[in-house]
């Protein structure tokens, strides 16, 4: 388990993720180490940018480059938190066409099964990145999107409801790179639907 990081952000405790269906404890530990790296680098960049500001070097090329990089690190940190917090050993709750999330899925896709199939298809697309079910609170819609780079492609103002990490580091400890479909089955077997529903509010 990664240690809490000093600075603006601290690595959150996800020790409760032991015992997931399919996804091994070793896989989670390796994934949490990667997540802790995002937290650490985010804090380091914030400190370095503050130091450049104190020295009045905000017009330096390094300042601009660090600012650009900070979005990558912060989103890498936050997307991993959304991913981990959307899982529970064996799953939690359920998705019904009559609850708030299910109603949105039915309105947009015709059924909760069609919404899940669409999200699975997004997650199974070639490449590495994130499959994210977003809620647009303005239009009350639910849309599944592929996000390749942490800091690019997120719809402004939309909330990530369910986040699936589809980078190979999410399953490469216990599966081959060609076994993504099996990982996606494991992911859905562990979804915390209660957590997903809370993100609509």
């Amino acid at each position: 388990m990664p240690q809490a990081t000093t600075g603006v952000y601290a690595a959150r405790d996800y020790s409760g993720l032991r015992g997931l269906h399919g996804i091994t404890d070793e896989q989670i530990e390796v994934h949490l180490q990667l997540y802790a790296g995002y937290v650490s680098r985010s804090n380091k960049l914030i400190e370095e940018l503050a130091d450049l500001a104190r020295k009045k070097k905000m017009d330096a090329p390094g300042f601009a480059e660090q600012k650009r990089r900070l979005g990558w690190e912060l989103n890498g940190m936050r997307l991993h938190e959304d991913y981990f917090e959307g899982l529970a050993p064996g799953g939690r709750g359920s998705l019904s066409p009559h609850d708030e999330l299910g109603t949105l899925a039915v309105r947009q896709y015709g059924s909760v099964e069609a919404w899940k199939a669409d999200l699975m298809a997004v997650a199974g697309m070639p490449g590495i990145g994130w499959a994210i079910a977003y809620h647009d609170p303005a239009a009350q819609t639910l849309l599944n999107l592929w996000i390749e780079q942490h800091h690019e492609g997120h719809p402004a103002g939309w909330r990530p409801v369910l986040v699936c990490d589809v980078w190979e580091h999410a399953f490469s400890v216990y599966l081959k790179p060609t076994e993504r479909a099996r990982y996606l089955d494991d992911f859905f077997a562990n979804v915390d639907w209660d957590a997903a529903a809370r993100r609509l509010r």
Side-chain angles (χ1 to χ4, degrees):
M1 183 60 55
Q3 296 297 312
T5 311
T6 58
V8 175
Y9 298 100
R12 297 179 185 176
D13 180 7
Y14 294 113
S15 55
L17 290 182
R18 289 188 178 89
L20 291 172
H21 170 85
I23 303 172
T24 65
D25 291 350
E26 182 186 11
Q27 175 66 71
I28 289 296
E29 291 301 323
V30 169
H31 206 164
L32 288 174
Q33 290 170 21
L34 182 135
Y35 155 67
Y38 282 110
V39 178
S40 177
R41 289 188 300 273
S42 293
N43 285 325
K44 184 176 180 184
L45 283 168
I46 289 168
E47 291 171 9
E48 290 175 357
L49 285 162
D51 185 57
L52 287 170
R54 277 190 299 271
K55 294 175 179 174
K56 304 204 182 301
K57 292 186 176 179
M58 290 182 285
D59 58 345
F63 181 86
E65 186 54 39
Q66 298 291 64
K67 276 288 187 183
R68 290 189 182 97
R69 189 173 153 209
L70 182 57
W72 166 270
E73 301 294 350
L74 286 172
N75 272 12
M77 175 188 72
R78 194 50 43 88
L79 287 172
H80 278 95
E81 290 169 351
D82 287 343
Y83 169 76
F84 292 132
E85 290 166 15
L87 298 174
R92 184 177 294 129
S94 61
L95 181 63
S96 161
H98 307 294
D99 60 29
E100 191 176 5
L101 180 57
T103 299
L104 287 171
V106 170
R107 185 186 307 151
Q108 194 79 19
Y109 294 90
S111 68
V112 292
E113 293 77 16
W115 168 75
K116 180 184 171 185
D118 186 86
L119 183 57
M120 287 281 278
V122 171
M125 288 167 33
I128 52 174
W130 302 86
I132 302 178
Y134 282 100
H135 173 233
D136 177 5
Q140 287 299 307
T141 55
L142 188 67
L143 191 63
N144 302 320
L145 295 178
W146 174 266
I147 304 297
E148 186 166 317
Q149 302 293 327
H150 303 336
H151 60 308
E152 296 177 353
H154 301 279
W158 291 36
R159 297 184 184 121
V161 175
L162 185 60
V163 175
C164 181
D165 190 340
V166 207
W167 289 74
E168 288 177 357
H169 65 245
F171 58 92
S172 60
V173 171
Y174 81 109
L175 293 174
K176 297 174 184 172
T178 54
E179 296 179 296
R180 185 191 293 188
R182 185 176 151 196
Y183 160 68
L184 295 178
D185 287 339
D186 290 341
F187 170 79
F188 272 101
N190 293 290
V191 168
D192 185 339
W193 294 109
D194 294 340
R198 285 193 298 272
R199 291 175 180 166
L200 292 174
R201 302 178 187 104

